[in-house]
Amino acid sequence: MLDIRPVGYVIGLLLLILGGAMALPLGVDLAAGNGEWAPFAESMILTTLAGMCLALACSNAVRDRLSLQQTFMLTTGVWLALPVFAALPFMLGATESSYTDAFFEAMSGLTTTGSTVLSGLDTLPPGLLLWRALLQWFGGIGVIVMAMVFLPELRVGGMQIFRTEAFDTMGKVLPRAAEISSSIGVIYIGITLACAMSYGAAGMDAFDAVTHAMTTVSTGGFANYDASFGAFKGPIEYIAVAFMIVAALPFVLYIQALAGNGLALWTDPQVRGFVGALAAAAAIVVTVLTLGSSYPLERAFREALFNVTSVMTGTGYASTDYMLWGGFLITVFFFIGLIGGCAGSTSCSVKVFRYQILFAAVKSQIRRIHSPHGIFRPRYDGRTVTDDVLSSVMSFFVLFVVTLGVFAVALAMTGLDFVTAVSGAATAVANVGPGLGDTIGPSGNFAPLNDTAKWLLSAAMLIGRLELMAVYVLFTRRFWLA
C-alpha cells in the first residue's frame, strides 16, 4: 500500500514556512498602522498549526528517499496544498474576497501565472501587495527546483534530457533537492536584489522596487497598480526586459558560469533559440507599429520589446493595451505566449527546447523520406535524442493541445464568449497571465468571470505549471496499483 506520510511530512514543513512568511506582510501593515495586520496574524496561526500538525503526524515515516509514486504525489500535493492556505489573507484581509477569488489569486501567484481578480490595487494596503509579490517569488524558486530536480526524475515531457552527471537525482530526490536548491537560492536572491536596486536607481520607491523585483525575477507579473507596468514609463521598461530575460534562462547555466564555465550561456541551444525567437517577434511588432501607425520609433521599440518579452516569458506585465494594436499583432501575442522560456528557469509555457526537439524530429523525418535507406536520428545540443525523450516531447505537445481544447470548451460551457474562453484556457495552461479581449485582456482582469470558470482556470494553472503529465498520471489506475 502506498505510504503517503513522507509526502505529508514535506507538505507540513512547507506550510510552516508559508505561515512564517506571513510575518513579513504582517510587520509591514503593523508598521503602516493601517490595522490590516490582524488578518495576517489569523492566517499565520491557522497555517502554522496545520503545518505543524501534519508534519508531526507524518514524522515517523521520514525516509531519505521517496519512491516514484511518492514523488509524483509530492509535486502535485505541494502546489495544491499551499494555495489553500495562501488564500486566507485575501479572504480575511482588506479585499474580503470570496474563497473562490482568494484561491484563484493564490494559485495564480504561486504558479507565477499573474492573472488577477483584484482591482483597486493602487489603494490596497502594502501588506497585501507584499503578500502577492512573495507568493510569486516563492513560486518562482519552487518552479526552478521542480524543473531541476523533480521533473527530470519523473521523465515528464522530455525533461529527462536535462538529467546530467552534475545534477543526477535518480533515487535521491530530497538530498539532491536541498543541495541544488541552495545553489539556486543564492543566485535567485542575488538576481532579485540586483533587480530591486536597478528599479530603485531608475526612480521606483523602495517598496515598489522590492515587490516588482520579486514579480519580475519570478516571471510572475503581479504589479502594485491597476495599470500594471504602465504606471512606469521610459528606461525602467528596459531594466524590466533585461531581468525578465535573465529569469527566463536556465539557472543551471548560471551555476556552471560561476563554476568557471563562462561560455555555457552563449553555447546553449535553448538560450540561442529563445533569444532568436524573442528578437524575431519583437522585430515583427516594431515593424507593424512603425509602418501601420504614427508610433515614434523609440516608443514602438520600447513597448514592443517590453510586451513581447513579458508575454513570451510568461511574466504577464503590460505597459500598454496591445489589444488596440490590431488583429495581426493580437494573434502574434497569442502564439508567442505558447512558446515560453527555457527549461530550468522561472518561465512557463511549452518551453523552447521542446520546439527544438520537435523541429529536429521533423527534419529527421523529412530526410528519411528523401533517403529511405538512410539512418537519421534527431539531435539536440550535439547529442542524439533518445526514443523515450522524443516520445515524451510528442506526448506533451498532444496533451497540451488537448488540455487547452478541453478547458476552452469547458469555459465556453460556463457562458464565456469564444475569445475569452480560448485565450483564458491558453493563458492558464501556459501560465502567462493576461488573456485577450475586453474582459481578461491586458486592460481588464478575471473578476467578472463566474465562479465555475475561476475554479476551472485554477485547475488549468496547476496542470500547466506541473507540465501536464505529472498531474495526469495520478488519475491512472496503474499508478495506484503499482
Side-chain angles (χ1 to χ4, degrees), residues 44-97:
M44 183 170 64
I45 292 171
L46 290 172
T47 305
T48 51
L49 281 177
M52 185 182 303
C53 292
L54 185 59
L56 288 175
C58 301
S59 60
N60 61 338
V62 176
R63 300 287 185 271
D64 288 337
R65 299 183 180 184
L66 293 178
S67 69
L68 192 60
Q69 289 173 299
Q70 291 169 333
T71 306
F72 270 112
M73 292 190 67
L74 179 63
T75 55
T76 302
V78 166
W79 293 83
L80 188 58
L82 294 185
V84 169
F85 292 89
L88 295 178
F90 297 113
M91 185 176 68
L92 303 175
T95 61
E96 296 183 348
S97 302

Side-chain angles (χ1 to χ4, degrees), residues 398-454:
V398 172
L399 276 176
F400 188 88
V401 173
V402 170
T403 300
L404 195 157
V406 168
F407 274 104
V409 171
L411 289 169
M413 292 175 66
T414 69
L416 303 186
D417 63 86
F418 176 79
V419 172
T420 302
V422 174
S423 67
T427 195
V429 176
N431 303 118
V432 173
L436 301 177
D438 296 331
T439 304
I440 62 172
S443 61
N445 67 22
F446 289 72
L449 273 57
N450 56 77
D451 284 359
T452 302
K454 291 170 185 173

